[in-house]
Amino acid sequence: MGRVAELTVEERAAALAELPLWNLREDGAAITRQFRFKDFAQAWAFMGKVAALAEAQDHHPEWSNVYNRVEITLTTHDAGGLSARDVRLAKAVDAIA
Amino acid sequence: MGRVAELTVEERAAALAELPLWNLREDGAAITRQFRFKDFAQAWAFMGKVAALAEAQDHHPEWSNVYNRVEITLTTHDAGGLSARDVRLAKAVDAIA
């Protein structure tokens, strides 16, 4: 895959408006969302779906899990910040959450 | 499951001697180990095995993943630090890594 461009300020604002459950990281280079489930099994089932999305989109999250909680951070290292790939993956994650 | 005791200083030293690839966190209350794989698919396959161990032992890691890297932190909140549960899970993780 070729290089992907960082979103412009306007593009970022438009994307965030469509992702109300995601927070822009302080440095503006990533978005994060926290998830809470009933237990580890539910959290893990969700993570499996996200992993499949990530592989299908060839774009991977930075994420952590503590029992029933999952935190996902999306950024595009090749772009040095947020790109359309992050927005696409965030929307797909929202659709399964 | 009932409460589990924090390891004594002597028990902790003995456990760490058997877990050379794990690092004691600065506060002494947790151990961590970093793993690096060929790619996300390999990292994810490993995480699946750890998740199964965690469920089987009813003791869950605090962990994060970025593409081919996985970091696992083990601590026992009920004990306020390291317990035999962490040592057991760490050894099981070592066996599959």
Side-chain angles (χ1 to χ4, degrees), chain B residues 21-43:
Chain B
L21 301 174
W22 294 76
N23 297 301
L24 188 65
R25 202 170 64 188
E26 233 173 61
D27 66 3
I31 50 175
T32 65
R33 184 178 167 189
Q34 284 82 35
F35 304 84
R36 188 179 286 264
F37 301 91
K38 185 170 69 74
D39 55 21
F40 177 78
Q42 295 288 317

Side-chain angles (χ1 to χ4, degrees), chain A residues 35 43-44 46-52 54 60-65 70-74 93, chain B residues 40 44 47 63-67 69 71:
Chain A
F35 303 85
W44 181 254
F46 167 72
M47 290 176 75
K49 294 178 192 167
V50 173
H60 299 83
E62 302 182 11
W63 53 348
S64 60
N65 160 246
V70 177
E71 177 168 326
I72 298 180
T73 297
L74 301 178
V93 167
Chain B
F40 177 78
W44 181 254
M47 290 176 74
W63 53 349
S64 61
N65 160 245
V66 179
Y67 193 59
R69 285 174 289 140
E71 177 167 327

Side-chain angles (χ1 to χ4, degrees), chain A residues 15 18-19 22 53 74 86-96:
Chain A
E18 293 183 342
L19 297 168
W22 294 76
L53 285 176
L74 301 178
D86 302 306
V87 177
R88 182 174 63 164
L89 184 52
K91 286 181 180 173
V93 167
D94 279 353
I96 61 170

Side-chain angles (χ1 to χ4, degrees), chain B residues 44-65:
Chain B
W44 181 254
F46 167 71
M47 290 176 74
K49 293 178 193 168
V50 174
L53 285 176
E55 286 288 75
Q57 298 190 3
D58 194 18
H59 188 57
H60 298 83
E62 302 181 11
W63 53 349
S64 61
N65 160 245

Side-chain angles (χ1 to χ4, degrees), chain A residues 1 3 5 8 16 21 26 28 31 34 37-38 51 54-55 58 68 70 72-73 76 79-80 85 88 91-92 94:
Chain A
M1 236 180 321
R3 277 185 70 84
T8 65
L16 286 168
L21 300 175
E26 234 173 61
I31 51 176
Q34 284 80 38
F37 301 91
K38 186 171 68 75
E55 286 288 75
D58 194 18
N68 65 331
V70 177
I72 298 180
T73 297
T76 303
R85 290 187 195 163
R88 182 174 63 164
K91 286 181 180 173
D94 279 353

